[in-house]
Amino acid sequence: MRIHILGSAAGGGFPQWNCNYSNSKGVREGTLRAKARTQSSIAVSSDNQNWVLFNTSPDIRQQLLNFPEIQPARKLRDTGISAIIFVDSQIDHTTGLLMLREGMPLTVYCTEMVYQDLTTGFPIFKMLTHWNGGVNRHSIPIDGQSFTIPTITDLRFTAIALSSKAPPYSPHRDQPHLGDNIGVFIEDLKTQKSAFYAPGLGEIEAHLLPYMQKADCVLVDGTFWREDELIQTGVGTKCAREIGHLPQSGEDGMIAFLDTLQKPRKVLIHINNTNPILIEDSAERAELTAHHIEVAEDGMDIIL
Ligand code: MLT
Ligand code: MG
């Protein structure tokens, strides 16, 4: 299985267009050891030909240009994107679908809750019906049942319902429902390798453990270093867990949890532009390295 990181930043990207906090300002001005990053999305394939896209970010046009292998050019209009899986209905994970309108109908897999959000609060599925009928949508089971995608060879997917948060425009923003957010366990049936992908993970719940212990790679929520990061940096008022993201630091943070996993390669993804781990010579990045935790960057390949 090949996991290609199309975008490794959280909503807003890095640098964020209107932000002058030292991280965004420093990378914009070239004064920090840090790489710019586009918004959260990965492409996964077992054969380097048929790709399943996890999320479609607002930066998708640039991301696809940066990854020429996903354009096989077999006919006049073509793409290597065989299907799209949404892990939630957040703007940074879904807006790119509008940029793919010329390729409708595209095959999209999402939970019932995400389907509700994308037909009500943020009705992009409805809007896209005006482009060749819109998406060809399939439901993702959240009862632990695995599913396969006919055009994707050798990969099997299992959605795991997560405790995180539906977006502000969701009809269930304040009444969490199973399926608002999922993590996905991805297995390559040929190589027997697996990955667990969860860019939005608010809490480590017991039912996730078997997947995370079994996986060869965990690609998980790297949004915030601190619980009060948005407040401390002055850019916001909410705490990390309040918006569905487990911070890395602290006794019950992501680092402490990842330390308990023996097997997997550990990679953080969906990194917010306020996070000090973006700075390659920061103390926080050194701490991650000491714990054998990597930080995803755009263009990175994970081969399992
Ligand atoms: C989140 O996951 O909380 C986001 O990145 C929010 C957003 O895209 O606005
Ligand atoms: Mg996000």
Side-chain angles (χ1 to χ4, degrees):
M1 166 185 351
R2 177 175 173 197
I3 302 174
H4 185 80
I5 311 290
L6 292 169
S8 52
F14 179 55
Q16 181 173 309
W17 68 281
N18 66 342
C19 188
N20 285 302
Y21 176 63
S22 55
N23 276 11
S24 283
K25 191 166 190 291
V27 74
R28 194 179 292 124
E29 294 176 353
T31 56
L32 278 181
R33 259 191 66 187
K35 294 190 179 85
R37 284 168 166 81
T38 62
Q39 294 166 82
S40 183
S41 177
I42 63 172
V44 183
S45 177
S46 64
D47 59 9
N48 276 312
Q49 285 178 24
N50 299 292
W51 294 89
V52 55
L53 218 60
F54 284 77
N55 308 318
T56 54
S57 102
D59 302 317
I60 193 159
R61 190 175 175 282
Q62 194 55 42
Q63 293 173 341
L64 297 180
L65 280 174
N66 292 346
F67 186 40
E69 285 171 75
I70 207 159
Q71 176 48 265
R74 298 162 291 201
K75 49 187 182 186
L76 183 60
R77 294 287 176 99
D78 201 8
T79 179
I81 302 168
S82 294
I84 296 163
I85 292 179
F86 284 149
V87 300
D88 57 40
S89 56
Q90 292 274 2
I91 284 182
D92 59 341
H93 283 157
T94 59
T95 312
L97 199 60
L98 297 171
M99 264 53 83
L100 302 182
R101 63 195 175 284
E102 301 93 346
M104 291 298 151
L106 284 166
T107 299
V108 176
Y109 287 73
C110 67
T111 64
E112 285 309 309
M113 286 303 131
V114 168
Y115 180 78
Q116 277 185 25
D117 290 352
L118 297 181
T119 48
T120 59
F122 186 34
I124 58 173
F125 283 171
K126 282 193 169 164
M127 292 160 63
L128 285 167
T129 58
H130 298 282
W131 280 265
N132 212 15
V135 301
N136 174 13
R137 186 254 168 176
H138 299 262
S139 187
I140 295 184
I142 47 162
D143 57 0
Q145 285 239 324
S146 301
F147 64 100
T148 53
I149 299 176
T151 46
I152 300 283
T153 35
D154 296 325
L155 295 182
R156 183 165 64 195
F157 309 89
T158 312
I160 298 114
L162 303 179
S163 162
S164 189
K165 197 88 190 188
Y169 42 82
S170 167
H172 16 90
R173 169 74 164 178
D174 297 313
Q175 312 120 8
H177 284 67
L178 278 185
D180 286 337
N181 303 79
I182 56 168
V184 185
F185 184 67
I186 313 162
E187 296 166 272
D188 186 322
L189 301 173
K190 202 149 70 187
T191 62
Q192 305 291 317
K193 298 285 183 186
S194 59
F196 176 76
Y197 172 62
L201 188 52
E203 196 183 322
I204 307 292
E205 298 167 283
H207 70 281
L208 308 180
L209 293 178
Y211 297 101
M212 296 184 83
Q213 287 161 350
K214 197 161 42 172
D216 294 283
C217 177
V218 294
L219 195 52
V220 290
D221 193 329
T223 314
F224 299 118
W225 180 260
R226 293 169 58 126
E227 172 71 3
D228 63 350
E229 189 167 307
L230 293 175
I231 299 161
Q232 186 236 350
T233 55
V235 302
T237 54
K238 299 213 161 78
C239 283
R241 285 179 177 82
E242 211 183 314
I243 54 170
H245 300 293
L246 180 69
Q248 283 107 59
S249 62
E251 274 172 28
D252 51 359
M254 186 66 88
I255 298 174
F257 167 68
L258 290 178
D259 278 346
T260 67
L261 300 178
Q262 306 302 319
K263 182 178 171 192
R265 179 172 170 185
K266 301 161 187 174
V267 184
L268 297 178
I269 194 160
H270 188 276
I271 302 142
N272 197 55
N273 47 64
T274 47
N275 194 328
I277 65 174
L278 289 165
I279 306 165
E280 289 161 22
D281 50 5
S282 66
E284 292 83 358
R285 175 66 84 89
E287 193 173 331
L288 288 184
T289 307
H291 288 263
H292 306 286
I293 300 170
E294 300 168 64
V295 180
E297 47 187 69
D298 293 15
M300 179 176 174
D301 271 315
I302 298 172
I303 313 282
L304 300 171

